[in-house]
Amino acid sequence: MSTHLGPFEAVRNLTYDAPFPRLLPVRQRFDPQQVADVAAATAQALEPLRGRIRPGMTVAITAGSRGIHDKPAVVRAAGEWLRAAGAEPFVVPAMGSHGGATAEGQVELLADLGMTEESLGMPIRATMETVEIDRLPDGPAVHLDANAAKADGILAVNRVKAHTDFQGDIESGISKIIAIGLGKQRGAEGIHRFGPANLAVWVPRVARRVVDTGKILGGLAIVENAYDRAARIELLQAADIAGPAEAALLADAKRRMARLPFDDIDVAVIDEMGKNYSGAGMDTNVIGRMMIRGSAEFDRPRIRNIAVLDVSDASHGNAVGLGLADFVPFRLLERIDLRSVYINAMTSGLGGPQRAQIPMAFPTDRDAIAAALLTCGRADVEAVTLVRMPNTLDLEHLQVSESLRAAVDAHPDLEITGDVAPMAFDEEGRLQPWQ
């Protein structure tokens, strides 16, 4: 029995059809450099901190809300190294307002990402309470997770990558998890009130102010390859956080990141969005849409219409970022937790409202994709270029319309991996699962 969808009930029987393109399975080849032994690399990276570890000192290790493949292994290995060095480590959720802005929700989110007290081998101490350390001149207050503030030291662990809201020398990484993650809802909200364009200003400054407390032991940075595996695990000394060394890691991460192999796409079909894939639900660097008023858009790719079909279980209904799409099926609407969406959007300030908006919704996947095809601006619908991806994080395997065959053949890093096949839907109009 479907959920009653209020005003959307008026379009419950509004269906559309179109000449759906046949799809080619395609594989992208990326730089495969990968850390062979994540635990060993983590322990080796931490060795320069040994002289700062005192017997019995408590150390808070940050764990964020992103689905980083090797993060559970890195956090666990960091805890083991700290215990072996004589410390008493524990984990704190460092994720701003995510998890519905509750301690219980943030613990649950960590569990969905494979991080529990049992799997990590150490306690998880969750709270939304913070200690206000300072207020920067003409800037935000500096908040710090209350449990982390009580610890003798803090080890910041995070992936370094391009941010989805702004561009700068320091984007998403060690500085961000300190300033926004450990700032919890109050800290994140305070920084975001200055607008996305000023995140590049305040995230590093807030992070540096926390570093100045002396509590930050260092930052354990994960740089991923395009297959979402750790290519590097590096320690940033506390003095290097928010400085040139972190900027250099970001530059390397951007060089390695997966992107779509085409500049112009009429229709993109994204099977699933979610907070475990990107803070914006869909990585704006991948889809080429910033959609924040007053912020510049990306040069590429240029995608005319985007249809998103579902939100991940790990998001617990937080479909913030849905406003980046143009068309969705009812099955996605039925899974949205508007409270979580609104809390996340309000915490994001100017970056939130447009991305929290609901796109045009249609009864089925088939209808939503047909609507995207019919309104993409190409008179010859059969010549539409379409790319299907499982999400915006996993871009090794794609399905592309036959109209892109020549572009695939000409691309040195693309290969066709199977036979062309129709875009198939089941009796309920749901797009057949990814093969």
Side-chain angles (χ1 to χ4, degrees):
M1 185 69 178
S2 296
T3 304
H4 190 280
L5 294 171
F8 289 101
E9 289 299 324
V11 293
R12 176 72 73 177
N13 298 314
L14 185 62
T15 62
Y16 285 93
D17 202 357
F20 294 98
R22 299 201 307 165
L23 300 180
L24 285 167
V26 171
R27 178 175 178 262
Q28 288 200 84
R29 289 183 292 268
F30 302 111
D31 180 353
Q33 180 183 339
Q34 180 178 341
V35 173
D37 187 330
V38 170
T42 300
Q44 182 178 359
L46 289 172
E47 274 302 313
L49 293 182
R50 187 172 292 275
R52 294 194 60 186
I53 305 302
R54 305 185 309 276
M57 74 181 295
T58 56
V59 179
I61 304 175
T62 65
S65 59
R66 303 293 181 261
I68 303 168
H69 181 273
D70 292 312
K71 181 173 62 179
V74 170
V75 172
R76 180 181 178 87
E80 291 173 347
W81 184 90
L82 285 164
R83 268 197 308 275
E88 297 178 5
F90 63 94
V91 169
V92 291
M95 55 184 76
S97 67
H98 300 170
T102 67
E104 297 77 16
Q106 296 199 344
V107 171
E108 187 175 358
L109 206 162
L110 289 184
D112 288 338
L113 297 174
M115 290 180 286
T116 64
E117 292 189 341
E118 292 71 27
S119 69
L120 297 176
M122 58 187 140
I124 295 175
R125 299 177 187 169
T127 181
M128 295 305 294
E129 295 301 314
T130 63
V131 174
E132 184 174 324
I133 294 173
D134 197 1
R135 183 172 294 275
L136 300 182
D138 299 319
V142 179
H143 286 267
L144 180 60
D145 175 288
N147 288 322
K150 293 175 186 175
D152 298 316
I154 300 169
L155 178 65
V157 178
N158 201 20
R159 172 179 59 192
V160 175
K161 64 177 286 292
H163 201 281
T164 56
D165 291 1
F166 71 98
Q167 297 180 22
D169 293 335
I170 306 294
E171 295 183 21
S172 185
I174 300 302
S175 294
K176 181 195 168 192
I177 207 159
I178 293 173
I180 291 180
L182 285 175
K184 313 300 286 193
Q185 183 180 12
R186 276 179 270 186
E189 191 172 51
I191 294 172
H192 280 100
R193 278 181 182 159
F194 288 82
N198 285 310
L199 288 174
V201 174
W202 295 117
V203 165
R205 292 185 188 179
V206 171
R208 287 303 315 167
R209 182 62 188 88
V210 178
V211 168
D212 288 344
T213 66
K215 281 191 172 290
I216 302 295
L217 297 174
L220 201 54
I222 304 168
V223 175
E224 289 185 325
N225 63 24
Y227 300 105
D228 313 321
R229 301 297 186 269
R232 298 172 63 186
I233 298 174
E234 305 279 347
L235 178 71
L236 282 176
Q237 294 285 356
D240 294 327
I241 292 172
E246 185 171 356
L249 289 175
L250 174 62
D252 187 37
K254 286 185 175 182
R255 180 184 65 81
R256 298 175 188 273
M257 72 179 291
R259 301 180 188 273
L260 293 175
F262 312 107
D263 287 339
D264 289 285
I265 300 168
D266 293 323
V267 175
V269 177
I270 302 174
D271 282 29
E272 192 172 79
M273 64 176 293
K275 299 295 289 186
N276 50 322
Y277 303 125
S278 172
M282 294 172 279
D283 192 326
T284 60
N285 299 279
V286 170
I287 62 174
R289 292 184 178 185
M290 184 71 75
M291 292 187 72
I292 296 176
R293 295 178 181 91
S295 295
E297 288 295 347
F298 297 91
D299 293 331
R300 69 165 306 277
R302 295 171 289 277
I303 303 175
R304 291 170 181 81
N305 280 337
I306 297 177
V308 180
L309 306 182
D310 206 352
V311 60
S312 66
D313 291 340
S315 296
H316 294 281
N318 186 352
V320 73
L322 192 60
L324 292 164
D326 304 295
F327 303 95
V328 297
F330 281 5
R331 69 182 174 107
L332 194 159
L333 291 189
E334 292 168 347
R335 285 164 55 82
I336 293 177
D337 177 355
L338 272 183
R339 182 180 185 276
S340 292
V341 173
Y342 281 17
I343 288 173
N344 199 163
M346 292 298 292
T347 302
S348 298
L350 182 60
Q354 191 168 358
R355 293 183 183 181
Q357 293 173 11
I358 296 177
M360 292 184 72
F362 291 90
T364 68
D365 296 359
R366 183 186 181 93
D367 299 312
I369 296 170
L373 291 167
L374 294 171
T375 61
C376 73
R378 191 174 291 277
D380 182 2
V381 179
E382 294 187 358
V384 165
T385 56
L386 182 146
V387 176
R388 180 188 182 190
M389 66 200 85
N391 53 68
T392 59
L393 184 63
D394 306 307
L395 300 178
E396 178 183 4
H397 295 282
L398 306 170
Q399 292 179 345
V400 307
S401 58
E402 276 190 296
S403 56
L404 285 167
R405 182 187 285 270
V408 171
D409 290 339
H411 200 295
D413 295 322
L414 293 179
E415 63 174 327
I416 296 172
T417 58
D419 298 326
V420 67
M423 181 176 277
F425 302 87
D426 65 18
E427 293 180 354
E428 296 180 350
R430 181 175 294 202
L431 187 60
Q432 291 287 7
W434 191 268
Q435 299 296 321

